[in-house]
Amino acid sequence: MIRCLAIDDEPLALKQLVAYIQKVPFLELAAQCQSALEARNFLANDTVEVIFCDINMPDLNGMDFVKSLAAPPLVVFTTAYSEYAVEGFKVNAVDYLLKPFGLQDFQRAANRVRERLEAGGEKSEVRSDKTETDDNNLFLKTDYRIVKVSIPDIRYIEAMSEYLKVWTEGEGKPIITLLSMKKMEERLPDYFMRIHRSYIVNLTKIQEVNKNRVILDADTYLPIGDLYKETFQTYLNTKFLGK
């Protein structure tokens, strides 16, 4: 069982959080607190493996509370404010749940906690400045979560009306986020290229170019649009060896 601490200053939100914890078989509720100060007092005499913590609380907010702990356990932040997401991941939060979130979202976060513990129990680590990995990450809103995505792991991006599908290595399904292709293009490094009105591809993931399409693997073929052929061909010419 994974011992956990629930913290939220809103009674109804705390009640819901506790109910979710009790529905996950491998979680054990050690305590519930309505303030970070109360949680600090509890942790002075007891230990837990994970904290489910609201951020926007009076007296001491959840982010500052975690930063104040000498050896913080794993942390899942819960909040209604997405602007805290980047700072949350800088303290190595396991997950970041945007209110109102459902049991399925909570279960996914709990699974990530279990995976982290099974992988070696990595503790939260406060990062006071930008690390070398910050520029290699994106933060994308999907459903009720803010997820961190490693840019080099992105295989390709597919436009779907007002949404984007972000396909990454090792995942069977994409991250779906409300964002424009233009915004995404502006953020990606130069080893990504728009090859079609509906596709941006990670050039390092291309295994083959066959006529008017790029091949990433046996099951993934992306078309090259007429408007993008010249730019893509110019790129190929810089890499091509042969007569």
Side-chain angles (χ1 to χ4, degrees), residues 5-9 31-45 51 53-66 68-69:
L5 174 63
I7 311 169
D8 201 305
D9 66 309
Q32 52 181 296
C33 301
Q34 285 192 259
S35 73
L37 297 178
E38 183 184 346
R40 178 186 283 172
N41 291 335
F42 170 80
L43 291 175
N45 301 295
I51 297 173
C53 184
D54 185 27
I55 293 180
N56 193 28
M57 295 186 289
D59 298 325
L60 180 64
N61 71 44
M63 193 73 65
D64 290 337
F65 163 64
V66 171
S68 74
L69 298 175

Side-chain angles (χ1 to χ4, degrees), residues 9-237:
D9 66 309
E10 299 176 8
L12 290 178
L14 182 59
K15 182 179 179 180
Q16 183 69 78
L17 183 57
V18 168
Y20 286 161
I21 290 171
Q22 293 172 339
K23 289 180 180 179
V24 178
F26 55 83
L27 294 182
E28 176 188 353
L29 181 67
Q32 52 181 296
C33 301
Q34 285 192 259
S35 73
L37 297 178
E38 183 184 346
R40 178 186 283 172
N41 291 335
F42 170 80
L43 291 175
N45 301 295
D46 209 334
T47 60
V48 295
E49 293 168 287
V50 60
I51 297 173
F52 293 93
C53 184
D54 185 27
I55 293 180
N56 193 28
M57 295 186 289
D59 298 325
L60 180 64
N61 71 44
M63 193 73 65
D64 290 337
F65 163 64
V66 171
K67 290 179 179 179
S68 74
L69 298 175
L74 299 181
V75 179
V76 174
F77 284 117
T78 65
T79 183
Y81 302 95
S82 61
E83 59 265 29
Y84 289 111
V86 173
E87 189 177 358
F89 282 108
K90 283 185 179 181
V91 297
N92 204 22
V94 176
D95 213 336
Y96 185 103
L97 295 171
L98 282 176
K99 298 178 180 179
F101 54 86
L103 178 59
Q104 184 177 0
D105 300 297
F106 181 83
Q107 177 75 65
R108 183 163 48 238
N111 288 339
R112 294 189 69 188
V113 168
R114 181 169 61 176
E115 290 168 2
R116 182 79 68 89
L117 288 170
E118 289 175 349
E122 181 183 344
K123 297 289 186 180
S124 294
E125 176 185 344
V126 177
R127 300 167 186 168
S128 59
D129 54 15
K130 293 193 73 174
T131 68
E132 69 277 8
T133 60
D134 283 344
D135 289 337
N136 287 329
N137 294 323
L138 293 175
F139 295 91
L140 300 175
K141 182 177 179 180
T142 177
D143 296 325
Y144 295 111
R145 304 169 64 231
I146 300 287
V147 297
K148 180 169 68 173
V149 180
S150 171
I151 294 175
D153 286 344
I154 297 174
R155 302 181 71 222
Y156 66 97
I157 295 137
E158 178 181 359
M160 183 183 66
S161 187
E162 297 178 344
Y163 292 82
L164 297 181
K165 291 181 178 180
V166 181
W167 296 85
T168 59
E169 289 286 358
E171 297 295 333
K173 59 182 181 179
I175 297 166
I176 299 177
T177 186
L178 180 61
L179 197 65
S180 69
M181 290 287 269
K182 185 175 185 299
K183 281 283 187 183
M184 181 61 81
E185 279 187 284
E186 290 172 352
R187 178 61 182 85
L188 293 172
D190 57 10
Y191 57 87
F192 283 83
M193 182 178 289
R194 184 89 170 261
I195 61 168
H196 188 277
R197 185 170 57 88
S198 299
Y199 293 99
I200 297 172
V201 68
N202 183 337
L203 296 169
T204 69
K205 306 296 184 183
I206 296 174
Q207 300 299 316
E208 185 178 335
V209 180
N210 190 329
K211 297 181 179 179
N212 292 323
R213 62 184 183 177
V214 298
I215 300 171
L216 277 62
D217 56 46
D219 300 313
T220 309
Y221 303 77
L222 306 181
I224 303 170
D226 290 339
L227 292 176
Y228 304 90
K229 282 181 181 179
E230 184 176 349
T231 301
F232 183 69
Q233 186 61 53
T234 300
Y235 161 76
L236 284 184
N237 291 342

